[in-house]
Amino acid sequence: LSLLGAGKKPAGTAAYLGNVRQLATQNCQVIKGADWLNPTTLQHAFEARSARLAVNCATQIAEASNQEAGFTELSMELVDAARAHCELIVVTRFMEALKRELPGREVKSQLQVLCNIYALSLITARTGDFLVTGYLSHEQIDLAKAKLRDLFRQVRPNAVALVDAFDHSDYYLGSTLGRYDGNVYTNLYNDALKDPMNQSPVTEGYEEFIRPVIKQ
Amino acid sequence: MNTLAQERRKAEFDVESMKVVWAGSMEQLHLSQRMAHLVANDPVFRKDFRVTQSRPDLFKNTLRKAAHAWKLVQTLRLTEEEATKMRNYIDEPAYTDLHWGMFIPSIKGQGTEVQQQKWLPLAYKQAILGCYAQTELGHGSNVQGLETTATFDPSTDEFIMNTPVLTATKWWPGALGKVATHAVVYARLLTDGKDYGVHAFIVQIRSLEDHQPLPGVIVGDIGVKFGNGGYNTMDNGFLRFNNVRFPRDQMLMRLASVTKEGKYVQSDVPRQLGYGAMVYVRKSIVMDASNYLSRAVTIATRYSAVRRQFGAQGDKPEIQVIDYMTQQSRLFPLLATAYAYRFLGVWMAWLYSDVMARLEKNDFSTLPEVHACTAGLKSITTSTTSDAIEECRKLCGGHGYLCASGLPELYAGYVPACTYEGDNVVLLLQVARFLMKT
């Protein structure tokens, strides 16, 4: 980060750091009635969070008498900054994937809903990062939560079909609860009857350990 | 009509098209379906009694499955891609994962042309079975701290491998305990009176006649691991060397070599080429994360639709738990995450191809970033997925704790990902170091 002032341009997944001045100063623009689901808004939020956490760490390390000791001292904050950078990558990769042609009725719109859920659920789960860096206000976080509830309602009728699309067979899942036919309780009961513990009505060990206790 | 059939009628999108998106292409979808069908309909691959088996029975059954799978590969003339898919659907950690996933790639990546010609044909037909012995009892993520030594003896043109202290005992490598005949062993290279640091060597550890450990080799299984099933199907092992001698040409010499006279020679091949294998492994780990997560989410979603709790009014049934906002707020972000990781995996596959193409042209410019961000992505995807499987278990209420739910075994099989190929927090610090340098 200290090299940025010398005009060195970061590339790849760290390219956003080239815009660090704007990311560090411009807070989230979302207000009531405005759209949290604008991809630019979402991406800016994740970039700002990552850049601000990284700059905070870099500043403190630069101020330490010994850089390596400063790195060790700040390791907890550095882990948060690294996580923020990686989560930004996941969000932007999801957004990028939706820019290409995706054939099939409403396939893209369903994935768009999921992409928004992914991004907004991360924002609400990591509110600490967004608040401590001053990027979001409490009101903006409330708006994000409200939008998330809307999105949950949209995904609800499609939830079972969305997991069917993973195309996992019953054999592969190995789960009575997750059976494709949904016939859960009959199978749980029948499987229990077949359990080795139920091969005889009276357990091994009755004569040796249970009967003496009862008959004492 | 049952509950899930009713749910499926509500869908607002084309599920078959979404299957293609998830699989990557129509060809991939058909390939997956063929291999899934092949495995599911073969009684040898039965897995429903896995959690009630003793460890020795469990392990022996895994050996049976691996041998049967190998027979199928040969009789059905499966391609490498088909065989890989089949191993995935067998859904059981086995020695073959390390043989094909670590041992062979190590020889390809670090062996010279001559070494590859000697060892790869043997490995491809499984005339030798290999593992990847890096981690030691006292050193995991810190590879530079490894203590096993390989000392060159010019008088016999051999290396002598030793385990000088208890903490240098190789510990954890899959397939090492009971199966592997050979290992790629990481050890400090000592020659010409100097320590040249950690290098890789191919060492035979068991006889090819009777499978007995060779003289000077102490090898065994490290014991029972977490959960029923899970990685208990794998013979993670320990290994100690007491003056084990092997020919000089069994040092993997693509990046550096030792002459007959004991001189250490750095090759022209850039050391960075070795990083390609690491990117490949991490790309596979991210793909695995989406796979495991999608399985847990499938179970939790379907059961949340079937299960009804509270809220019955008049003749109406109780409410499906999937209709509760508390259930949705925990489940739907995980569903979204499974898809997010799928697309991330696709991008990482591209990143791997890109970095390999650049490395071939001696362009190392993107390597620090790729190295760091794949480390970080491995870290966050595996941590999130293991937490998510546990969350899905809780989303299924008490029944999620039954092995019949499939979730305990899924969890036991997945959580090691948080600590293998680098501890997750240590990996995040690697990303942080890259960010600070940027």
Side-chain angles (χ1 to χ4, degrees), chain A residues 83-104:
Chain A
R83 186 180 291 115
H85 176 72
C86 293
E87 288 176 349
L88 163 66
I89 296 174
V90 185
V91 169
T92 50
R93 289 307 107 200
F94 203 160
M95 289 173 170
E96 283 296 318
L98 298 184
K99 285 181 184 164
R100 64 188 167 92
E101 187 75 19
L102 292 170

Side-chain angles (χ1 to χ4, degrees), chain B residues 135-147:
Chain B
T135 306
E136 294 177 355
L137 190 52
H139 294 93
S141 303
N142 177 19
V143 179
Q144 297 312 313
L146 296 178
E147 297 172 291

Side-chain angles (χ1 to χ4, degrees), chain B residues 34-64:
Chain B
R34 264 191 302 121
M35 290 302 116
H37 186 77
L38 178 72
V39 172
N41 289 291
D42 191 324
V44 176
F45 296 130
R46 191 182 154 194
K47 62 179 182 176
D48 55 330
F49 52 79
R50 222 161 36 184
V51 292
T52 57
Q53 285 187 305
S54 68
R55 172 93 198 288
D57 288 345
L58 185 65
F59 180 63
K60 191 172 173 190
N61 203 33
T62 304
L63 297 182
R64 180 179 296 119

